[in-house]
Amino acid sequence: MHAEAVVRKPLVTGGKTVHDVTEDICIRVEQAPAKSWYAAMAVSLALLGYGAYAVFTLVWEGIGSWGLNKTVGWAWDITNFVWWVGIGHAGTLISAILLLFRQRWRMSINRAAEAMTIFAVICALQFPLLHMGRPWIGAIWALPLPNTYGSLWVNFNSPLLWDVFAISTYFSVSLVFWYIGLVPDFATIRDRATGISKNIYGALALGWDGAARTWSRYETVALVLAGLATPLVLSVHTIVSFDFATSVIPGWHTTIFPPYFVAGAIFSGFAMVLTLMIVTRHVYKLQDYITIEHISLMNIIIMVTGSIVGIAYITELFIAWYSGVEGEQYAFFNRALGPYWWAYASMMTCNVISPQLFWFKKIRTSIAATFVISIIVNIGMWFERFVIIVTSLHRDFLPSSWAMFYPTWVDVGTYIFTFGLFFTCFFAFAKFFPVINMAEVKSIIKATGEKKK
């Protein structure tokens, strides 16, 4: 008599074998794209083209084409910058921290999440560069490089410079982590390919031979990179929050920003992972690899981080009242009941109320509900950044200088440009690279797979 103790639901369903994993994932790379892929790519390229025209207008006419004014010197641009950096947090979290904690459910989603991180950070990078006005001249001066102008150096006391170091380091480590994970899968595709594809994937595979020593080194490097990336997950958005927290502006000058921003970044990042993975799961028919269990576990993380964000909102309101500082109290009164009350209401509804629906298992395991709520969460997180930035600036210490911010078509077009860039990169990745980590999924087949009858 043979009995097996079922501790949890299998992470790979359908009785898949190692050969099935190779076939199911590689076939998406080897076959010609479906019509739906061409349609999605066409829409993405259309967004990219319209956004490129807006960017061209911005570069040609200058940042005066944005809706900024003397009072609101930061608005749509920095809102989108912080939002995209937050989107990029889930990938490294899933790859690094969950790897260190030996969470095997990460294996089916880490590849796409890591790719999302890379593309999101590239999109975030567009806004500081464009905000320089003439990035082909100004971008070099953001780096502490020797120059011919004597003792002309960057301001090391500026949180904006800290962003340069943090985000460039985060991007570099995430890119290496993502590529290292792809190498064994590139070798698998190489061994199946013919013609020029074999040469391309052979070059990308870096001579992978699958030997025991090679696997040992691969696992060691993955562990080292996970150890390096883990503090980066916590530090990057902490440093981004310092852009605001180190100022003296009411509504910004608060010590809760670092943990609050990190929780919000994980919150929005997981929401975007869910949005992408649900679509990928349906289009590529990967229901046996990205299961309801994966979606439920990610929803639990969204629920927890959403609750942390809600507590942070309430803490901000309490501290503003408790401080007795009139400027601080008015900043939060203006957020909730001022001209931008609708943005504050949207933020609270999307970020605090909607994730609490995941307490119900029926909603937490519903594909349709999860997809809708994941989009709502990211809308709410965009409004959060907009509320923090614009409402703290548009009514400052001098009532005579109070002003409203209204985005122009160039503001909106620049944002659309990053969406087009993000989805164009992601669709290209989904076609030419394996969207699921075959090597890691194969390692859990025996532990989680069901026997075919």
Side-chain angles (χ1 to χ4, degrees):
M1 181 177 178
H2 176 70
E4 289 186 6
V6 180
V7 178
R8 60 176 55 163
K9 293 181 181 179
L11 297 175
V12 178
T13 60
K16 298 293 183 181
T17 64
V18 171
H19 177 71
D20 291 334
V21 175
T22 303
E23 288 294 325
D24 292 344
I25 307 304
C26 288
I27 199 70
R28 307 301 172 189
V29 178
E30 296 164 350
Q31 285 183 341
K35 291 181 180 179
S36 57
W37 184 89
Y38 282 113
M41 182 61 87
V43 172
S44 181
L45 289 172
L47 294 175
L48 184 63
Y50 175 78
Y53 176 67
V55 170
F56 173 79
T57 303
L58 169 65
V59 172
W60 186 263
E61 297 185 3
I63 59 173
S65 56
W66 281 343
L68 304 178
N69 51 58
K70 285 186 177 180
T71 304
V72 185
W74 277 3
W76 202 272
D77 49 337
I78 304 301
T79 297
N80 297 330
F81 164 72
V82 179
W83 187 76
W84 276 117
V85 172
I87 293 296
H89 256 58
T92 306
L93 175 75
I94 290 170
S95 298
I97 296 180
L98 296 184
L99 173 63
L100 294 177
F101 281 94
R102 300 175 184 270
Q103 295 298 305
R104 292 186 168 188
W105 63 269
R106 59 175 276 283
M107 294 180 178
S108 292
I109 59 172
N110 65 335
R111 173 69 51 71
E114 291 166 15
M116 184 197 76
T117 291
I118 303 300
F119 305 145
V121 173
I122 291 172
C123 291
L125 183 64
Q126 307 306 309
F127 292 99
L129 289 175
L130 293 172
H131 205 172
M132 293 177 180
R134 293 182 290 177
W136 58 93
I137 295 175
I140 190 68
W141 302 111
L143 302 172
L145 299 174
N147 55 76
T148 58
Y149 291 90
S151 56
L152 182 62
W153 293 98
V154 293
N155 180 10
F156 289 98
N157 293 321
S158 171
L160 297 177
L161 181 64
W162 307 344
D163 282 347
V164 173
F165 287 112
I167 293 173
S168 60
T169 304
Y170 181 68
F171 177 77
S172 302
V173 172
S174 299
L175 183 63
V176 173
F177 202 177
W178 177 60
Y179 186 78
I180 291 297
L182 279 163
V183 170
D185 290 355
F186 282 147
T188 301
I189 299 172
R190 172 201 64 194
D191 295 340
R192 294 165 53 96
T194 57
I196 191 170
S197 296
K198 189 175 186 69
N199 295 330
I200 293 172
Y201 287 108
L204 292 172
L206 303 178
W208 179 273
D209 59 5
R213 179 178 293 182
T214 306
W215 276 109
S216 176
R217 288 173 176 171
Y218 167 80
E219 291 171 0
T220 300
V221 169
L223 203 59
V224 170
L225 288 173
L228 289 173
T230 297
L232 284 175
V233 174
L234 302 176
S235 68
V236 170
H237 225 56
T238 295
I239 292 172
V240 169
S241 76
F242 288 168
D243 294 349
F244 313 103
T246 55
S247 72
V248 295
I249 295 175
W252 287 3
H253 187 63
T254 171
T255 55
I256 199 175
F257 264 27
Y260 159 29
F261 267 52
V262 170
I266 296 169
F267 181 50
S268 61
F270 266 83
M272 183 62 87
V273 169
L274 274 172
T275 303
L276 295 174
M277 294 311 295
I278 287 173
V279 175
T280 305
R281 176 182 187 267
H282 175 73
V283 173
Y284 279 5
K285 297 179 174 56
L286 299 173
Q287 288 85 349
D288 289 328
Y289 301 98
I290 305 167
T291 65
I292 298 297
E293 183 70 9
H294 288 96
I295 292 168
S296 177
L297 289 167
M298 285 193 282
N299 283 337
I300 290 171
I301 292 176
I302 288 178
M303 183 177 66
V304 171
T305 51
S307 300
I308 294 171
V309 168
I311 291 169
Y313 293 159
I314 296 168
T315 303
E316 279 188 310
L317 293 171
F318 172 76
I319 293 300
W321 167 78
Y322 186 72
S323 69
V325 178
E326 188 175 352
E328 195 75 21
Q329 291 174 344
Y330 179 74
F332 284 90
F333 174 84
N334 181 54
R335 280 185 187 179
L337 300 174
Y340 291 108
W341 65 269
W342 49 271
Y344 187 82
S346 300
M347 174 191 81
M348 296 296 284
T349 303
C350 296
N351 294 347
V352 179
I353 298 174
S354 66
Q356 303 311 313
L357 296 173
F358 287 141
W359 284 99
F360 302 98
K361 186 176 181 180
K362 188 173 182 179
I363 296 177
R364 193 167 66 242
T365 55
S366 168
I367 300 296
T370 298
F371 184 71
V372 171
I373 293 173
S374 69
I375 294 174
I376 289 173
V377 164
N378 269 313
I379 292 172
M381 288 307 295
W382 187 92
F383 274 114
E384 181 207 276
R385 278 59 181 254
F386 180 83
V387 165
I388 289 173
I389 293 163
V390 175
T391 63
S392 298
L393 290 174
H394 88 110
R395 289 185 172 177
D396 57 11
F397 297 102
L398 273 177
S400 60
S401 67
W402 287 0
M404 295 290 288
F405 165 76
Y406 300 102
T408 65
W409 75 269
V410 180
D411 282 291
V412 177
T414 308
Y415 188 37
I416 290 174
F417 170 75
T418 56
F419 267 104
L421 178 62
F422 178 84
F423 285 110
T424 299
C425 291
F426 191 84
F427 292 148
F429 155 77
K431 172 60 190 78
F432 298 107
F433 289 2
V435 294
I436 288 180
N437 193 322
M438 291 186 285
E440 291 194 352
V441 168
K442 288 173 184 177
S443 70
I444 59 173
I445 287 293
K446 289 182 179 180
T448 66
E450 299 170 336
K451 292 180 180 180
K452 290 184 178 179
K453 294 181 180 180

